[in-house]
Structure formats: C-alpha cells, structure tokens
Amino acid sequence: MSLEEIKNSNLEVMINVRAFDEHYSNTVQQRISYKGSEILYGARFLPAFAPSEDGRTTILKVKKLNHHEKLEEAHVAAILEKIKLDQRKSEEAKD
C-alpha cells in the first residue's frame, strides 16, 4: 500500500508473539497493535531474535520487538516495484 492508502484506510496490524519462559515454566504472550497512523512508512524492523550459543534454540529479545531502521527512498521504491511485479506474476499464473 502507498502512504496515502495507509493514511486513508482503517488499517491495523496486529502482532502476537507466544513463547515459553523456561525460568518460570510458563507460556508468555506479547500483543502489539499498530494503526495506520502509527506505521512508519519506509522503515523495517530489525531482527529481534538470534540463535542460542549452542545453536539448538532461538532466543527472542522481547525488548527489541519495536526496534527499526529507516530505509532510503530508493530502497522503498525498489521493494514496492518488486511487490507489484510479484502480484502481476501471481495474477498471470491464475489465468
């Protein structure tokens, strides 16, 4: 969606993270919701997880769930162009 489409819509993105806390032997959940007006257009989330030292599990760093970086306009334009191309290919495959 373009920035204008996001602003003019009732868009809301909801993210649910569910994990197991080994220390307390409990399932924990984190819910985050972003309305269209809260979305940073031209930004992307930074990784919030990494493999454990032994490589057998994945560690989620909950405090990093909202960490992001701004992208250059050219990068955003390239991403949007790729999405449009993928959509065209998908539509052609249906026909």
Side-chain angles (χ1 to χ4, degrees):
M1 296 176 79
S2 71
L3 179 57
E4 285 303 312
E5 290 171 321
I6 291 171
K7 286 181 178 180
N8 295 328
S9 71
N10 290 326
L11 177 74
E12 182 174 6
V13 178
M14 299 180 74
I15 300 169
N16 296 304
V17 177
R18 185 175 174 187
F20 185 75
D21 184 338
E22 292 179 7
H23 183 76
Y24 292 106
S25 191
N26 240 349
T27 299
V28 293
Q29 294 182 330
Q30 177 71 37
R31 294 185 183 118
I32 302 167
S33 170
Y34 300 95
K35 293 187 177 182
S37 61
E38 299 171 310
I39 292 176
L40 297 175
Y41 194 79
R44 69 176 170 194
F45 285 108
L46 296 171
F49 54 88
S52 62
E53 288 183 19
D54 63 8
R56 295 174 58 199
T57 60
T58 300
I59 307 298
L60 173 65
K61 299 173 183 176
V62 176
K63 291 182 180 181
K64 291 189 173 189
L65 283 178
N66 287 319
H67 290 198
H68 62 276
E69 67 181 353
K70 277 295 245 182
L71 300 174
E72 294 179 22
E73 284 186 41
H75 192 152
V76 174
I79 291 170
L80 292 175
E81 191 59 37
K82 182 178 182 330
I83 291 169
K84 289 177 186 176
L85 180 63
D86 290 345
Q87 287 174 340
R88 277 189 235 126
K89 286 180 182 178
S90 177
E91 290 171 7
E92 290 172 0
K94 290 178 185 177
D95 294 334

